[in-house]
Amino acid sequence: MDILTLLPFIVLIGAMFLMTRSAKKKQAAAAQMRNDMQPGTGVRTIGGMYATVKEVHDDTVLLEVAPGVHAIYAKNAIGAVLDDAEYNRIVHGDDEELDADGTVVPDDASSLTGEPATDDAEPARIDLGKDDADTESTAAKDVKKAKDDGKTDGEADTK
């Protein structure tokens, strides 16, 4: 056998080796993250639930899912160990970035129109550039034109 017939097999085996190697690295990193969990850290389970670690055992973890509510989970069910700032931002809504710049988002669209929002006032009308003579709808114009031509929908010569 010559080398050209073996080349596709060699390339295929090399690609499989590289793919399994990267998967093993990801699994090792996830296992290391789970082993580094400490009581008091915030975690996200693979189901998307956020909780605080209370106790770490060999294969299980005791999580506090709500104040006073504890549940036992397998270590493999932990999807991510979060740092304190991220956990507080997600669970408690603490966001230092928004508090720092003092940006206030209005709860209505009054800032878009430039007029103050009032509950009892008539909403502002927006001029779309239509002329007063052009207020008649196109359907009404078509009906009027058909009547002027003396044709109705049932006739063969209608448009």
Side-chain angles (χ1 to χ4, degrees):
M1 264 190 167
D2 72 347
I3 191 76
L4 289 177
T5 57
L6 292 176
L7 187 62
F9 294 112
I10 294 171
V11 170
L12 183 63
I13 291 171
M16 289 174 43
F17 174 74
L18 290 175
M19 289 176 10
T20 58
R21 184 175 168 212
S22 66
K24 284 183 181 179
K25 281 186 178 181
K26 287 180 183 178
Q27 286 177 350
Q32 183 65 31
M33 175 227 15
R34 290 181 186 117
N35 289 333
D36 290 343
M37 279 188 299
Q38 300 295 324
T41 59
V43 296
R44 181 182 64 236
T45 65
I46 58 174
M49 183 180 64
Y50 294 91
T52 304
V53 176
K54 288 298 176 184
E55 295 176 10
V56 179
H57 301 287
D58 292 337
D59 294 332
T60 60
V61 179
L62 180 68
L63 299 179
E64 185 176 31
V65 296
V69 179
H70 297 89
I72 297 174
Y73 278 80
K75 273 190 177 181
N76 292 339
I78 304 301
V81 177
L82 308 171
D83 59 355
D84 290 337
E86 183 179 6
Y87 180 77
N88 288 332
R89 181 182 59 82
I90 293 170
V91 174
H92 302 296
D94 298 342
D95 200 357
E96 294 122 13
E97 295 170 3
L98 290 179
D99 295 339
D101 64 3
T103 304
V104 177
V105 178
D107 60 348
D108 60 359
S110 63
S111 64
L112 299 176
T113 61
E115 300 175 8
T118 57
D119 293 335
D120 57 343
E122 179 79 18
R125 301 284 183 207
I126 299 173
D127 182 21
L128 299 176
K130 291 186 176 182
D131 295 333
D132 289 338
D134 195 31
T135 57
E136 192 175 8
S137 70
T138 57
K141 289 179 184 177
D142 291 341
V143 169
K144 187 182 273 187
K145 182 178 179 185
K147 286 182 181 179
D148 292 343
D149 292 342
K151 299 175 184 173
T152 61
D153 286 341
E155 296 180 14
D157 293 335
T158 58
K159 294 182 181 177

